[in-house]
Amino acid sequence: MVTYRPILRGAGYAGIFYFTVNGLMKLFLSGAPEANILGFVSLGFAAFCALIWWLAKRVKTHSGLELCGLALCSSLIVNVSIHMSITFEQENMAYFVLVMPVCACVNVTRRAFAVGMLGSFFALLWFVSQNIPSHLTDYISVGAAGILVSLGVSVLVRDSIINAVRAQIAANDERERAVNLATQDPLTVLPNRRSFFQALEDRDQRLHQSCEGFVLGLIDLDGFKPVNDTYGHAAGDQLLREVGRRLGDAVPDGALIARLGGDEFAVLADLPGPGKSVDRFGNQITRSLGRPYEVEGNVADVGASMGLLVCDEAGPSQKQMMERADHALYVAKRSRRGGAVVFSAHHESDLLSLGRVEQALRESDLDTELSLLFQPQYDLHERRVVGFEALARWTSPSLGVVMPDLFIPAAERACVMRPITQILLAKTLVALERLPQPLRISFNLSVHDLMSPAAVEHILTQVRESGVDPARLEFEIAETALAVDFNMARTAITNLRQAGCSVSLDDFGVGYTNVSHLQQLSISKLKVDRSFIAPLLDDESAAQLVRTLINLARSLDLECVLEGVESFEQLSLLDAFNARYVQGYLIARPMSVERIETYLAAVEAGETDFTSLPPAASAVPKAHKA
């Protein structure tokens, strides 16, 4: 239709011009008595062609255009027939033959072409038979020749139109592919990052104009990279496609799902109706994505954490919306991995604090402002201090003393964790040289350090160049780091152990490490999180769990440090459980390196509260006795 319409309207223009000129010539230049009649007839057909030209622009169907073409060709045949009926002139019989190629050009369908050809041919033969029958045979030949020529013209016109149509379709397809590439993720066939931000902008405008609130959700898969590393990228791609499908099933109709890149997805949805909550909406999605996946004939356990933001009032920019949803996701991955967290006023306060800390970090003199405190680790079997844990402190000129649980996440977000690690490790190595043999220091590595081979190599270079015995240096890694990329973590741990350093698994029990993982890692120590020690005296099940963790470490031939010991009663019970290494405020609060010598002398002299434990059996409360 796109190609045929201009051809038909062009023929309408030609018809208007031809009939108008022919009519005016008949009226004003011809002196024949029938000229006036023929002139008005031609002008009438000019008006009819104008009607066809007008209709051809407005009809919406292919059959409508076909009827317009037939009407236009019929007007030519009828016009010639009227002229021949009023005044027969043999030389004008050629007009019937000339009409044939016109019909071939105007009527692109075969049936319309056949009607035009046959109409003109039989009109020619009828007038010949009525006026000059002796020439009928000659005109049959002339008409047949006109049909053959017109047939060739028709084929050429049809081929030109078909080629033009194909070119248009190809151009449209190419344009559509280009649009899809620009707006669609080729792997999951979901909207891509560009489409998502356009949709977010549209939602934001609707929020400002009509107060239509919505929910913004950011999703990050937990444990996806090990699937790629273990089963291959084809399996990873298959898993991502399945994630896209599950998201489509889990979200309500009308919601937008997008893949932002890698294993990150996003959701834009209407606010839940009455009786429904955003928490429930998020947990429904994470539960669906947390079910096992079958990829390449294997079963993969991959979870998903989600951060949600309720956007129900105008004000925040799109950048602020994304920052808040991303912060909720960050909280989910740190404290509720595999679950959903809705951004709240409390998170707003944290985000503001984090923003201020990030800004201060970028403007700080880290080498001067960062410092270390050291908390001792005590051996209950040998009744002596065996080492210290290095604890980072940052004294900002603008913020004052900032604790690591605040500035470490900010440093990770601001991408300044690696220089912080290098500065603190250098200070740790200097402190280790001051400690008497064989005391050692444990140093915490961040996930960013552990996931970077270059960072690990730089750390080992620092240790080698310091001249310190690497056996006196222990690196602590958080259990949650293993969930980010187990294979990468295992490689980093192996490299640290081969360099002579020991490695401990920090915060054991709060993450997802299982026994099989422990057996695959070259770690030397488990550090049981303080959250297990706090209820030790009041909860028998908590005590049994701690005893189980101690025995688990012993069965795996690993040392076990119990953190958060703050009372003499806790220490006595752990001693009764045959625990060996403890750490906490009871043993000592974090201290500067200058105070370590004085502290060690006090422990050696028995001048501390914890160095005179009663007999183990009498220290065990009845509720916890075997």
Side-chain angles (χ1 to χ4, degrees), residues 434-499:
R434 297 182 57 174
L435 261 61
Q437 296 273 6
L439 293 180
R440 58 192 180 191
I441 293 181
S442 60
F443 181 84
N444 289 274
L445 292 180
S446 75
V447 176
H448 287 240
D449 298 319
L450 204 64
M451 294 298 110
S452 170
V456 173
E457 180 57 34
H458 191 278
I459 288 168
L460 293 177
T461 299
Q462 278 188 271
V463 174
R464 285 192 294 267
E465 292 178 351
S466 70
V468 171
D469 181 4
R472 299 180 62 200
L473 186 62
E474 176 179 283
F475 289 105
E476 294 188 14
I477 63 171
E479 185 184 7
T480 51
L482 303 181
V484 175
D485 189 332
F486 180 80
N487 291 330
M488 184 74 77
R490 180 173 56 186
T491 300
I493 292 171
T494 300
N495 291 337
L496 293 171
R497 290 300 304 273
Q498 288 176 348

Side-chain angles (χ1 to χ4, degrees), residues 357-371 393-398 416 419-420 423-424 427:
V357 172
E358 286 184 32
Q359 183 64 31
L361 276 171
R362 293 189 181 97
E363 299 172 353
S364 65
D365 179 3
L366 293 175
D367 195 34
T368 302
E369 298 170 17
L370 287 171
S371 61
R393 294 294 185 267
W394 174 40
T395 304
S396 166
S398 59
V416 295
I420 287 178
I423 292 170
L424 291 176
K427 294 177 182 292

Side-chain angles (χ1 to χ4, degrees), residues 188-457:
T188 61
V189 201
L190 293 174
N192 62 9
R193 189 181 190 89
R194 178 178 179 180
S195 291
F196 168 76
F197 281 105
Q198 181 60 55
L200 179 60
E201 182 178 349
D202 294 341
R203 284 277 193 169
D204 188 34
Q205 290 178 356
R206 284 161 54 186
L207 176 61
H208 282 76
Q209 294 169 2
S210 56
C211 298
E212 290 185 45
F214 62 95
V215 176
L216 165 62
L218 299 181
I219 302 165
D220 190 76
L221 301 183
D222 302 321
F224 169 72
K225 195 170 186 303
V227 174
N228 261 346
D229 295 340
T230 304
Y231 303 122
H233 289 285
D237 292 346
Q238 182 183 348
L239 190 148
L240 290 173
R241 285 191 289 268
E242 176 62 15
V243 168
R245 189 194 66 77
R246 291 190 189 183
L247 277 173
D249 293 339
V251 301
D253 294 339
L256 174 86
I257 309 164
R259 182 187 176 208
L260 302 184
D263 59 348
E264 299 177 52
F265 294 80
V267 176
L268 288 175
D270 294 332
L271 292 173
K276 298 180 180 179
S277 67
V278 177
D279 281 301
R280 182 180 177 185
F281 168 75
N283 288 324
Q284 179 180 344
I285 291 175
T286 54
R287 280 197 303 270
S288 175
L289 299 183
R291 299 196 310 270
Y293 295 82
E294 185 175 342
V295 290
E296 298 289 315
N298 300 288
V299 176
D301 289 321
V302 175
S305 300
M306 187 173 188
L308 294 142
L309 174 68
V310 177
C311 306
D312 56 358
E313 58 182 26
S317 65
Q318 294 174 47
K319 180 182 178 181
Q320 290 171 326
M321 290 179 184
M322 290 296 295
E323 286 178 346
R324 292 172 180 179
D326 187 60
H327 183 72
L329 174 61
Y330 175 79
V331 173
K333 292 187 76 70
R334 284 180 64 91
S335 60
R336 291 189 59 187
R337 184 173 288 266
V341 170
V342 181
F343 189 83
S344 64
H346 171 69
H347 297 134
E348 181 75 43
S349 176
D350 289 346
L351 187 58
L352 290 173
S353 298
L354 203 59
R356 287 195 295 268
V357 172
E358 286 184 32
Q359 183 64 31
L361 276 171
R362 293 189 181 97
E363 299 172 353
S364 65
D365 179 3
L366 293 175
D367 195 34
T368 302
E369 298 170 17
L370 287 171
S371 61
L372 289 172
L373 295 179
F374 299 89
Q375 188 171 35
Q377 296 172 344
Y378 189 72
D379 186 340
L380 289 173
H381 289 187
E382 297 184 4
R383 296 295 196 263
R384 66 183 182 90
V385 174
V386 291
F388 292 82
E389 179 182 359
L391 302 173
R393 294 294 185 267
W394 174 40
T395 304
S396 166
S398 59
L399 302 178
V401 177
V402 185
M403 299 302 287
D405 59 348
L406 183 57
F407 81 77
I408 294 298
E412 291 175 346
R413 285 169 55 96
C415 299
V416 295
M417 195 61 234
R418 287 183 62 178
I420 287 178
T421 297
Q422 294 167 12
I423 292 170
L424 291 176
L425 180 59
K427 294 177 182 292
T428 298
L429 294 171
V430 170
L432 190 56
E433 290 180 329
R434 297 182 57 174
L435 261 61
Q437 296 273 6
L439 293 180
R440 58 192 180 191
I441 293 181
S442 60
F443 181 84
N444 289 274
L445 292 180
S446 75
V447 176
H448 287 240
D449 298 319
L450 204 64
M451 294 298 110
S452 170
V456 173
E457 180 57 34

Side-chain angles (χ1 to χ4, degrees), residues 112-148:
F113 167 71
V115 170
M117 293 300 99
L118 293 177
S120 184
F121 180 70
F122 286 118
L124 170 67
L125 297 184
W126 189 85
F127 279 104
V128 170
S129 65
Q130 294 297 314
N131 296 283
I132 47 175
S134 60
H135 294 77
L136 183 60
T137 303
D138 297 333
Y139 277 97
I140 289 175
S141 300
V142 172
I147 289 176
L148 290 175

Side-chain angles (χ1 to χ4, degrees), residues 10-32:
Y13 272 126
I16 295 169
F17 177 77
Y18 169 75
F19 286 122
T20 300
V21 172
N22 187 58
L24 293 175
M25 290 179 64
K26 294 290 184 184
L27 289 172
F28 298 107
L29 300 179
S30 177

